[in-house]
Amino acid sequence: MSASSPATHEGSRFESLRIRGHQGGVIQPHRSMGGLPWDARRLATVAGLTLAAVAGYVALLPGILAMWRWGLDWARGRLGLDLMLGEQTVLLPGGFSLRLPELSTITPQPGVGALLLATLITVAALGVAFKLPPRLTPLRYFLRLLAAIQASAILFFAVSIDPFPFRVSDYLFGLMSTGLVAMGITPVLFGLVLYPMDLVWWRKALVTAGALVHFAVLTPMLVLTHAGLLLRGTAVVMPALFLGFGVLPFAVVFLAFYGWAMSWPSELERREVSAPVHSTR
Amino acid sequence: MTIFGAILLPVLAIVAVVTIRHYRLILNRLFGAHRQPYLDLSTATWPRATVFIPCRDEKQIGPLMVALLASDYPEGLLTLVPIVDPAFPAAAKVLDDYAVRFPGKVVPFHRARSEGGRGGALREASEHAPGREAPVHLVFDGAYRPGRGLIKQLVAPFFDPEVGGAFSRIVPATIGPILLPRLLDLAGSEASQIGQQARTNLDQTPEVTAPVMGLRRAALEAAGGWSGETEAETLELGYRLAAGGWAIAYQNRAECHEVTSGAWAAYQEEAGRAARGRIQALLRHRGRAGFDALLRLARPLVAVVLILGWLVALAGSYAGDPFAVVSLAVLTIVLFSPLGSLVGFAATAAAARLDGHRARVRILPFQALAGLASTWLAAREALAQLLAKRRKPARQPTRAVAAENRVA
């Protein structure tokens, strides 16, 4: 019997009708049982999208870096930041190299006044953390963590006889590198936790592009913001800046895009097919 | 390798192990074959069952009794035994009233003194209360609202002679616009849909974390009965049953609603109790439990290791160690992640999608802030429990919690 025979057509129609319920809606299996379909096509989509996104990122990298270079050059004068713009070559595995823009400046060391001011602000932040209402408990913990990091920096500058091991130039270069790494691993992480999900492929590609563009714009702005804060706040604010507002924004932005994508309708919903129930044993 | 590297490598290895194991659970739940035994058994020669209800709050007990009395379990085979605490006369009055209205079906058990927390109450009732001779014991704490068919769903697994305990999925009863109930809802989805179900699929022993469960009386007796010396009595009993060779059945299809206060103080109290209970169970079962069980019980200790590792990485960064700087960045992200797993967020999002609550996933970034609070709480309570020689169960809510619960 051929695939398009009337009997097969009837069977397929029957299959599509038997999952219909109230007002023609699709009856889904109970939420405790539903799973996701897994086939060779999905595996190919996961691998293909990951490779394509990584390849696209690598191909666009020179353009991204050129944009950053231009943006940093344009903004540093207008923001009144005493920064010199240069380039640093980073050697990569496989004989490749990358020329990254580098902002350099003298690292402002905190004096007694700066340390006292930092101590006052830290104590105030800690006080606020303890005074916040219970409904803001997560913020309380975050403020306490920031206060603890800042206290460690104040302690270091107050008692350490060794010089602070990080220069502002190195810090800004490290932050920029963090942005590049975040962009590089985003497609890989999406490949592990988003691409296997039941979303149409172009949505996955779209959210990946969105996240990468967001990081591409965020990174130089974050670098400039941190540069301004470090030049005014001295090196004593560097640890809190790095941990509280350097690493975390990348993680939170990634989560925001991921959460947004995971809230989109599934491919099964779009095609009006019920979710598979994997065999029980 | 520097001293910082030598310390931080094992910490990062622990994070990697936790993350890989968690990722395996996600993939299993999404794409693996499910084990859902004992489903939809509605006609059978049902055994006699007794429901033990430890409850102190007169406002909670009414709705729970109404829900249990509406159960579709065959008439005459179900006995409800509310455990009346002498310190809470208002609840006792409500329960005595139910006993008058439903003679023979509601049989309150009046305790002479309140000792040993919930575990102590259950031990006393399961040994002395009327209805104790029933082959199946069930437990419902006051904050839970079982549906009409839940008793049957919890009793059904006991037709399998190897099953010693059974428990259901816990679902929040109400989720308003407040952040905490929404976060707890996501965490609950993750725990049930991914954690418990995937472990069931993989033939690992699921963990009974909520005081809603069914027990075969013979298994309970063989395991030594309820313990009043732990703050996570169902969890600890579950491990004892498993050690005795009894199977624990997780019924993902069976759902029991839970009334949560939505107050952070109450959550902190509960999370602290759970962390202490895990450490108590770990200390008791460390010689018998398998690697998987040990890793799960040691979850609060993982939080301790994470925080200590983070402090070492911070010190290493001040010393200019490049490996410590990278480790510090990674561990900072892990501190904000649920369960010390880098894929904790993915598990949460996948579970919410399976539940059909796609839009709820959008608050995922806020889970990071709550993750920091959870990590700190778990570490603090684990250390406190380890340092305390003997800690009695603290069932009485603190004044702060009670006040906030009233506000909520």
Side-chain angles (χ1 to χ4, degrees), chain B residues 48 50 52 79 125-126 128-137 217 221:
Chain B
R48 281 185 58 211
T50 300
F52 294 96
T79 310
S126 63
H128 304 292
R132 63 185 180 279
E133 67 286 347
V136 175
H137 287 193
R217 182 169 55 87
E221 287 170 359

Side-chain angles (χ1 to χ4, degrees), chain B residues 53-293:
Chain B
I53 309 156
C55 186
R56 296 173 164 185
D57 187 344
E58 71 276 10
K59 287 177 189 157
Q60 298 263 20
I61 192 71
L64 173 61
M65 293 301 289
V66 169
L68 287 170
L69 286 165
S71 165
D72 64 356
Y73 206 72
E75 197 65 33
L77 293 177
L78 190 68
T79 310
L80 308 183
V81 180
I83 306 170
V84 182
D85 195 305
F88 296 85
K93 191 172 174 302
V94 172
L95 292 168
D96 286 340
D97 184 45
Y98 269 98
V100 172
R101 286 162 57 200
F102 300 94
K105 184 157 190 178
V106 178
V107 189
F109 175 67
H110 291 264
R111 296 182 78 197
R113 58 189 187 284
S114 47
E115 274 182 4
R118 187 164 49 206
L122 286 167
R123 183 176 187 98
E124 209 176 315
S126 63
E127 289 174 356
H128 304 292
R132 63 185 180 279
E133 67 286 347
V136 175
H137 287 193
L138 296 150
V139 175
F140 283 96
D141 195 71
Y144 297 89
R145 304 285 177 267
R148 210 169 160 263
L150 187 69
I151 304 271
K152 277 186 177 177
Q153 288 174 316
L154 278 178
V155 173
F158 295 108
F159 287 108
D160 180 345
E162 292 185 357
V163 172
F167 67 107
S168 72
R169 178 181 176 179
I170 304 298
V171 181
T174 49
I175 307 168
I178 306 167
L179 181 63
L180 178 63
R182 290 195 163 272
L183 291 175
L184 290 179
D185 170 55
L186 286 178
S189 279
E190 190 279 326
S192 307
Q193 284 280 36
I194 305 291
Q196 303 282 27
Q197 184 58 53
R199 283 191 199 104
T200 302
N201 298 343
L202 292 165
D203 283 332
Q204 297 172 0
T205 305
E207 283 188 333
V208 194
T209 49
V212 174
M213 73 180 299
L215 286 158
R216 187 186 297 279
R217 182 169 55 87
L220 177 67
E221 287 170 359
W226 290 97
S227 170
E229 295 175 350
T230 173
E231 293 185 71
E233 59 285 329
T234 51
L235 178 89
E236 198 275 330
L237 178 60
Y239 276 102
R240 262 190 292 140
L241 289 172
W246 292 96
I248 311 284
Y250 171 61
Q251 296 278 68
N252 200 24
R253 174 72 177 78
E255 295 179 359
C256 185
H257 289 93
E258 179 189 21
V259 180
T260 49
S261 75
W264 278 97
Y267 163 71
Q268 285 172 297
E269 191 97 359
E270 188 59 27
R273 191 190 64 77
R276 292 192 299 273
R278 273 186 185 279
I279 297 299
Q280 289 160 354
L282 175 70
L283 294 176
R284 189 173 288 194
H285 296 279
R286 63 186 184 276
R288 288 177 286 179
F291 177 70
D292 174 72

Side-chain angles (χ1 to χ4, degrees), chain A residues 35-48:
Chain A
L36 292 180
W38 182 261
D39 49 27
R41 194 171 136 259
R42 183 170 297 237
L43 184 64
T45 312
V46 170

Side-chain angles (χ1 to χ4, degrees), chain A residues 2-255:
Chain A
S2 73
S4 57
S5 69
T8 311
H9 178 72
E10 275 301 305
S12 145
R13 189 163 170 273
F14 176 72
E15 281 304 311
S16 69
L17 285 176
R18 67 191 287 271
I19 60 164
R20 299 285 168 178
H22 177 64
Q23 294 192 338
V26 174
I27 303 168
Q28 293 290 344
H30 188 268
R31 59 187 182 178
S32 64
M33 300 172 189
L36 292 180
W38 182 261
D39 49 27
R41 194 171 136 259
R42 183 170 297 237
L43 184 64
T45 312
V46 170
L49 271 176
T50 308
L51 289 173
V54 171
Y57 167 62
V58 171
L60 289 173
L61 203 49
I64 293 168
L65 292 176
M67 186 191 79
W68 286 4
R69 203 172 296 118
W70 176 84
L72 293 171
D73 193 29
W74 182 83
R76 68 191 167 117
R78 280 163 182 79
L79 292 172
L81 298 174
D82 185 19
L83 298 164
M84 285 175 60
L85 183 63
E87 277 188 339
Q88 192 179 132
T89 303
V90 179
L91 296 174
L92 300 172
F96 294 100
S97 65
L98 210 57
R99 290 173 67 192
L100 263 67
E102 183 189 27
L103 292 167
S104 48
T105 186
I106 295 166
T107 304
Q109 299 296 322
V112 176
L115 286 180
L116 280 175
L117 185 63
T119 308
L120 274 177
I121 293 171
T122 306
V123 171
L126 203 58
V128 169
F130 280 101
K131 285 287 176 191
L132 282 174
R135 67 190 165 83
L136 297 176
T137 293
L139 191 59
R140 289 159 84 171
Y141 279 93
F142 183 59
L143 279 176
R144 284 181 208 172
L145 179 72
L146 280 183
I149 297 166
Q150 190 53 53
S152 71
I154 294 167
L155 192 69
F156 179 89
F157 281 102
V159 302
S160 174
I161 47 170
D162 294 324
F164 190 59
F166 304 102
R167 296 179 304 153
V168 169
S169 314
D170 296 335
Y171 173 81
L172 296 177
F173 187 76
L175 192 59
M176 211 175 298
S177 307
T178 307
L180 284 176
V181 171
M183 291 169 76
I185 62 169
T186 291
V188 180
L189 291 177
F190 276 160
L192 290 170
V193 298
L194 178 68
Y195 298 162
M197 302 305 292
D198 190 43
L199 290 166
V200 67
W201 72 269
W202 60 263
R203 281 182 185 267
K204 295 173 187 172
L206 193 69
V207 78
T208 309
L212 292 181
V213 168
H214 192 101
F215 283 137
V217 176
L218 171 73
T219 304
M221 291 171 76
L222 205 60
V223 167
L224 284 167
T225 310
H226 282 212
L229 290 169
L230 283 167
L231 290 175
R232 284 164 182 77
T234 74
V236 76
V237 299
M238 196 186 281
L241 267 185
F242 176 61
L243 294 173
F245 305 100
V247 175
L248 284 181
F250 289 108
V252 170
V253 166
F254 175 84
L255 280 181

